[in-house]
Amino acid sequence: MKRLTKCRALASLLLWAVALLAAAAPRERLSINAGWRFTMGDPPGTSASLRYDVRPEVTASEDGKAADAVPQAAALAAAAQEQVLKPWILPSGNAFISDPARRHRRPAQEPQLDVAYLKPGYDDVAWKRVDLPHDWAIAGPFLETGPYGGVGRLPSWGIGWYRKALDIPASDRGRSIFLDVDGAMSYATVWLNGKLVGGWPYGYNSWRLDLTPYVVPGGSNMLAIRLDNPPESSRWYPGGGIYRNVWLTKMAPIHVAHWGTHVRTARVSRDSAEVSLEVAVDNDSRSGATVSVATAIYALDEQGTRSGQPVAHIQPQRLQVAAGASNVATGSTTIARPRLWGPPPTQHPHRYVAVTTVRRDGVGIDEFETRFGIRDVRMDPDKGMLVNGERIALKGVNNHHDLGALGAAFNVRAAERQLQMLVEMGANALRMSHNPPAPELLELTDRMGIVVIDEVFDVWERKKTALDTHLIFPDWHEQDLRAMIRRDRNHPSIVIWSIGNEVGEQYTGEEGAAIGRKLAAIVRQEDRSRPTMTAMNYARAHMPLPATVDLVSVNYQGAGIRSNPGRFPEFRARFPGKMIFSSESASALSSRGEYQFPVTGALTSSVRPDAGGDWNTHQVSAYELYASDFGTSADRSWSAQDQYPYVAGEFVWSGWDYLGEPTPFYSSRSSYSGIIDLAGFKKDRFYLYQARWRPDLPLAHILPHWTWPGREGKFTPVHVFTSGDEAELFVNGKSQGRKKRAEFEYRLRWDLVTYEPGGLKVIAYKQGKEWAVSAVRTVGPAAKLDLVPDRSEIAADGADLSFITLRVTDLDGNTVPMAKDSVKFSIEGPGEIVATDNGDPTSFVPFPSTERPAFNGLCLAIVRGKPGQKGAITVRAQAPTLQGANVTLQAH
Ligand code: GAL
């Protein structure tokens, strides 16, 4: 008896000690990207029991629907006769439902599932070994026929399973353990040790699941994730799989809540700024507690590391948190002479970090970092966007989430390269079309000083494709919208919240506006400091939808869609107090280096057979005068903007080419609308935008190239993009005349130049003074290859990349503009060629192929170092009859 009491006492002492240790163990955030097992498809006969919900039947597939087509009424799903998993998954979003009465209760019974993959002992050695981020569709092969152009002709839909054994040490007993998924496409359902934990349907959001009740510390815990990506669920390439980072986050039971901090800045000036911070603290333990919450604020350096001593403190606040509940500590401080966040080149993106410590009885039990910036942003109806009092014209682009040949699988360096090239062009703004991005992309925009529109949905209740997110909108819109804002609200780069893109509710009058009002109200509850928008290609100023949001953001309507007149004045008259801008402009189309004749004399033109488009090769002319039927050339869209000085700027459709939506040739794999092609090569349009967006950069860019065997004696129009205002063109030294840009003109054109081999030269002038000179010449036949890496030193971390451009050149080293030679890449040393591309929207060579034809002289190889393996990596390129090339990189 005595012994038993002793034993019990000892056991409770042990438990107490473990709990104490768990309570004091510092928060850990562990990457669990490495070493997953993956397979496609369910075990036979189990799919019906694993469904999130019943889906409507899709009877016919559609491809190539115009982007401005009218969205249709929602499709209704058949009522479920059998079990669906939705009732167990809905509670995963409860933290984002504000009305407690509407939160979901987990059913009392567990779902009856007899699925081999869920059994911890199931042997998955035959599955593929993958590391995350992973996109199951990007390797192809391309689906060369069928209605798949819209989604990039890659097999992104289907069911995919991921399994990984998590080693949870015994010392984790008593800690709270969460699974943090930055993005999984889509309808994720998660099991731990065979027990259903929960899930998240929307593929673009980040989400957290509490694993604590299912974890068995002291050994291996089997995590299984099932994704079910519907066909017909997207207008562009969605990718498939766990395509962003995944983390295991462990902490004491009393801790800063998920996305639980909210920084606000007020009364911002060069002299001082008020910083207030809300910290939500969760108590997952069984007893109430009193804690103190204190914060120190540090400056961050350019790399984002803490520098020096704290610049301010938020004094400790006492907070009582009941068991199983949360409470919020609010504090504030003043920072003297703050280093403000603002976009270069006139401002600098300075940042700070708030380091919050939660203490109990004087002992630190959690520490949490919140990065932020101090800036004052106003959207002024007359002056446009003011950042720290300075007018910053919005020089923005829209980008989808894919990273070209790397697909949807997020990679920091690939995203950084996209942004660096946009900045080089003079862009200062990015719209996340049409969904929340990877969190690391926002870290980049913060660091680089790029202003951002964070957008949550492309679809509300009305559908654009048969099985798109209209199916989950009624159940999930609140959770998805709040999740985006709570995750992203501390990023200084975000300046606008977008609640939707060209939603079908533009067409449904008051009924649609009611949804807009509901979403805008949610945004205001989460963050009052930024305005709301919804991108409108159809809604007119007098319709109900535009009134529901704070800004007027129109897609293409500024220049006028199809035969409609430009509508800036109409919106301005109706909403004199709201800032107006183009959330999508242009939608100009071209294939890099594909010049077609004759060239339209108009300012803009739709693509038609032999008028901007080649119906045999499926390429669009690179004269940069052609556009989608509802869009316009850049020139035309600027002439519309510039007539109204109150227009705050634009977001071009699109910055980079992307997978899918290959208007006007749906037989292709990728878009024609990018200013930069899918491989990252600049189209001529790059220089058109650079000339406008960087007026101080001396620039004169000539198109087309001047190697046209067979065109001798034919008219070959020469256009010049310049930041000057006047230029003179010479063909083999003979002047073709000096031309001046008129008001609302953005290029200089000599349309009656007769081709003769030799050279073109242009001298550009600005205010009468010589400003920039450039030349192109007729090149010789292809003779050699040349390799140019964007970076010759990379980190040996298994993620960092070098993008190597291959040029096909003549004997003198000039790029041969129409070369299509087939190139073979090989590699030696601790690296691998992850993908190749050439920017040709019609190419069906799978991205992992190390053999690829050049497209108009260029080709790309993407090289990654192997984790932990340092040393020299040599990449070689060979092509029949040409002199090969090699280049050596260093992995550190
Ligand atoms: C817009 C739409 C975009 C894209 C674009 C193509 O109407 O918002 O998502 O489809 O057209 O130009």
Side-chain angles (χ1 to χ4, degrees):
M1 191 62 190
K2 237 185 179 174
R3 228 189 179 174
L4 208 69
T5 336
K6 243 190 183 165
C7 263
R8 274 204 193 124
L10 215 68
S12 56
L13 200 73
L14 216 69
L15 275 179
W16 176 80
V18 165
L20 209 69
L21 280 174
R27 170 188 288 256
E28 284 178 284
R29 186 167 185 254
L30 308 167
S31 167
I32 51 166
N33 284 344
W36 289 71
R37 293 282 173 176
F38 165 73
T39 195
M40 291 293 289
D42 290 323
T46 60
S47 290
S49 66
L50 290 164
R51 285 174 304 184
Y52 168 81
D53 201 356
V54 176
R55 283 181 194 142
E57 249 184 80
V58 182
T59 44
S61 298
E62 227 183 324
D63 202 11
K65 227 184 356 179
D68 63 342
V70 182
Q72 295 156 8
L76 292 178
Q81 299 299 320
E82 302 144 68
Q83 166 184 287
V84 294
L85 297 185
K86 180 166 132 170
W88 287 271
I89 292 177
L90 282 168
S92 302
N94 275 348
F96 305 95
I97 298 176
S98 66
D99 175 1
R102 289 194 47 253
R103 293 189 192 135
H104 301 278
R105 209 177 271 244
R106 189 179 171 105
Q109 301 289 317
E110 289 306 297
Q112 295 307 302
L113 294 170
D114 184 16
V115 179
Y117 298 173
L118 297 178
K119 309 212 160 105
Y122 174 77
D123 187 358
D124 57 19
V125 282
W127 294 19
K128 204 174 157 194
R129 192 191 173 285
V130 298
D131 293 331
L132 310 180
H134 174 240
D135 178 350
W136 71 48
I138 192 62
F142 285 100
L143 306 158
E144 298 190 18
T145 55
Y148 308 120
V151 290
R153 303 204 162 273
L154 288 165
S156 54
W157 59 93
I159 288 159
W161 282 88
Y162 293 82
R163 281 170 49 103
K164 182 179 168 67
L166 302 175
D167 190 21
I168 309 283
S171 54
D172 279 351
R173 203 178 301 276
R175 298 175 90 189
S176 291
I177 302 183
F178 299 96
L179 175 71
D180 286 335
V181 176
D182 289 347
M185 191 64 71
S186 55
Y187 288 89
T189 311
V190 177
W191 291 264
L192 189 69
N193 300 326
K195 308 245 169 58
L196 177 53
V197 181
W200 201 281
Y202 192 35
Y204 291 106
N205 251 337
S206 302
W207 40 276
R208 162 173 285 186
L209 295 181
D210 187 359
L211 301 182
T212 319
Y214 307 95
V215 161
V216 182
S220 172
N221 286 249
M222 181 49 71
L223 185 62
I225 301 182
R226 178 186 189 262
L227 304 182
D228 181 1
N229 211 17
E232 317 271 338
S233 61
S234 181
R235 300 188 297 114
W236 58 86
Y237 175 69
I242 308 180
Y243 69 104
R244 292 185 188 154
N245 293 319
V246 177
W247 312 89
L248 203 60
T249 310
K250 304 175 180 179
M251 56 197 105
I254 301 173
H255 52 253
V256 174
H258 189 214
W259 302 324
T261 59
H262 188 180
V263 180
R264 293 187 181 83
T265 57
R267 280 178 269 282
V268 172
S269 73
R270 311 256 157 214
D271 298 328
S272 76
E274 276 176 33
V275 176
S276 62
L277 177 69
E278 270 178 22
V279 182
V281 176
D282 282 352
N283 180 354
D284 291 353
S285 77
R286 293 218 188 94
S287 46
T290 302
V291 295
S292 88
V293 179
T295 297
I297 297 174
Y298 298 80
L300 290 177
D301 67 15
E302 309 258 319
Q303 273 62 52
T305 37
R306 239 188 253 187
S307 61
Q309 294 300 308
V311 295
H313 290 273
I314 297 177
Q315 290 314 313
Q317 319 262 306
R318 270 171 69 84
L319 195 68
Q320 287 192 332
V321 200
S326 287
N327 203 353
V328 179
T330 310
S332 62
T333 185
T334 300
I335 297 186
R337 290 178 306 284
R339 287 143 55 96
L340 303 183
W341 186 96
T346 51
Q347 300 190 35
H348 193 89
H350 291 292
R351 287 186 295 158
Y352 291 90
V353 61
V355 182
T356 300
T357 309
V358 180
R359 289 191 180 80
R360 189 180 187 186
D361 302 327
V363 179
I365 53 173
D366 194 18
E367 190 179 280
F368 190 81
E369 289 197 357
T370 310
R371 288 157 178 256
F372 68 101
I374 300 175
R375 84 276 189 286
D376 176 68
V377 180
R378 278 158 217 257
M379 304 297 175
D380 186 282
D382 304 315
K383 298 185 200 136
M385 181 175 68
L386 303 172
V387 180
N388 304 319
E390 181 193 5
R391 176 178 197 267
I392 304 283
L394 289 165
K395 302 170 180 175
V397 303
N398 285 271
N399 265 7
H400 272 312
H401 72 310
D402 76 67
L403 297 167
L406 302 172
F410 187 76
N411 179 284
V412 175
R413 173 57 203 154
E416 182 184 52
R417 171 178 178 248
Q418 289 199 337
L419 299 184
Q420 283 171 343
M421 288 184 66
L422 294 170
V423 167
E424 181 194 341
M425 182 168 77
N428 61 12
L430 182 65
R431 173 169 172 233
M432 303 296 180
S433 41
H434 305 294
N435 40 259
E440 293 82 1
L441 186 52
L442 294 168
E443 169 70 21
L444 286 171
T445 53
D446 284 354
R447 197 177 84 203
M448 296 170 77
I450 298 169
V451 301
V452 167
I453 298 176
D454 206 1
E455 184 157 86
V456 64
F457 301 125
D458 189 50
V459 170
W460 295 348
E461 279 181 1
R462 289 177 73 86
K463 68 171 193 255
K464 293 182 180 174
T465 57
L467 301 179
D468 65 27
T469 54
H470 79 281
L471 297 174
I472 52 172
F473 186 87
D475 283 335
W476 284 89
H477 63 272
E478 181 183 358
Q479 299 90 307
D480 278 314
L481 181 53
R482 288 191 202 274
M484 175 183 84
I485 298 175
R486 285 188 204 167
R487 189 194 72 170
D488 292 349
R489 63 193 167 187
N490 297 319
H491 286 282
S493 56
I494 295 176
V495 295
I496 297 170
W497 299 118
S498 171
I499 58 173
N501 173 60
E502 298 185 353
V503 292
E505 285 71 6
Q506 290 178 107
Y507 296 83
T508 57
E510 265 308 327
E511 198 187 313
I515 299 179
R517 271 193 295 278
K518 182 161 74 177
L519 298 176
I522 292 174
V523 175
R524 264 173 239 123
Q525 286 163 17
E526 295 292 331
D527 175 29
R528 285 192 160 273
S529 74
R530 297 173 178 91
T532 51
M533 63 161 264
T534 183
M536 299 173 294
N537 65 328
Y538 172 81
R540 301 271 305 273
H542 63 272
M543 294 179 180
L545 190 69
T548 63
V549 283
D550 301 322
L551 305 175
V552 176
S553 56
V554 289
N555 288 4
Y556 313 109
Q557 293 205 67
I561 294 181
R562 294 197 157 87
S563 56
N564 293 327
R567 302 213 190 275
F568 286 134
E570 176 183 314
F571 278 99
R572 171 78 172 172
R574 179 82 180 201
F575 299 106
K578 292 187 182 184
M579 188 182 91
I580 298 181
F581 67 104
S582 285
S583 34
E584 281 177 41
S585 59
S587 197
L589 307 172
S590 57
S591 309
R592 174 182 53 77
E594 290 284 320
Y595 306 93
Q596 297 170 17
F597 306 96
V599 175
T600 179
L603 191 57
T604 186
S605 171
S606 294
V607 184
R608 293 292 178 268
D610 299 320
D614 184 327
W615 257 248
N616 294 316
T617 61
H618 293 180
Q619 302 295 358
V620 180
S621 177
Y623 269 91
E624 309 296 11
L625 288 166
Y626 301 93
S628 64
D629 286 5
F630 52 85
T632 64
S633 64
D635 312 53
R636 170 78 187 82
S637 105
W638 291 334
S639 75
Q641 283 169 46
D642 288 351
Q643 292 176 40
Y644 307 107
Y646 55 80
V647 174
E650 66 177 321
F651 290 79
V652 182
W653 192 272
S654 58
W656 280 60
D657 269 328
Y658 52 93
L659 291 164
E661 218 188 13
T663 310
F665 296 117
Y666 267 68
S667 53
S668 297
R669 62 166 204 201
S670 50
S671 78
Y672 297 79
S673 59
I675 302 171
I676 297 168
D677 78 15
L678 198 76
F681 301 134
K682 297 165 183 166
K683 298 183 186 174
D684 292 289
R685 222 182 314 151
F686 182 94
Y687 302 98
L688 188 56
Y689 282 94
Q690 196 177 43
R692 176 177 168 90
W693 286 350
R694 296 182 63 186
D696 299 333
L697 180 77
L699 170 79
H701 174 80
I702 303 175
L703 66 153
H705 62 78
W706 210 239
T707 305
W708 295 105
R711 278 200 73 76
E712 291 79 4
K714 292 189 183 151
F715 283 141
T716 306
V718 176
H719 293 190
V720 169
F721 302 154
T722 177
S723 47
D725 46 30
E726 205 179 345
E728 184 168 11
L729 178 73
F730 301 88
V731 180
N732 292 336
K734 288 180 297 253
S735 173
Q736 308 294 302
R738 185 161 162 163
K739 300 200 176 207
K740 213 177 164 74
R741 279 206 279 139
E743 197 182 14
F744 309 130
E745 247 178 42
Y746 305 91
R747 68 174 71 196
L748 293 167
R749 49 197 292 175
W750 289 261
D751 283 333
L752 300 179
V753 175
T754 305
Y755 176 69
E756 58 183 51
L760 294 176
K761 179 178 172 187
V762 68
I763 304 177
Y765 298 87
K766 196 165 191 165
Q767 289 162 354
K769 287 208 192 95
E770 193 175 306
W771 173 249
V773 179
S774 93
V776 295
R777 50 186 309 262
T778 307
V779 306
K784 307 192 287 188
L785 302 179
D786 180 37
L787 290 172
V788 190
D790 69 335
R791 284 152 77 242
S792 49
E793 305 204 351
I794 57 173
D797 60 359
D800 201 10
L801 303 169
S802 181
F803 289 84
I804 304 178
T805 298
L806 171 132
R807 296 189 309 128
V808 179
T809 76
D810 67 4
L811 272 179
D812 297 331
N814 304 304
T815 306
V816 179
M818 291 201 275
K820 305 246 169 6
D821 300 76
S822 187
V823 181
K824 250 191 196 166
F825 293 97
S826 56
I827 190 162
E828 276 162 41
E832 54 188 330
I833 297 172
V834 251
T836 60
D837 190 14
N838 58 15
D840 176 357
T842 69
S843 169
F844 293 140
V845 178
F847 289 123
S849 173
T850 50
E851 244 181 284
R852 180 172 296 277
F855 179 57
N856 294 328
L858 303 178
C859 200
L860 177 79
I862 307 174
V863 170
R864 182 170 60 199
K866 295 197 173 152
Q869 297 184 36
K870 301 183 178 177
I873 302 171
T874 300
V875 176
R876 292 181 208 287
Q878 288 166 299
T881 75
L882 305 182
Q883 185 188 320
N886 61 63
V887 70
T888 299
L889 318 171
Q890 290 297 331
H892 294 292

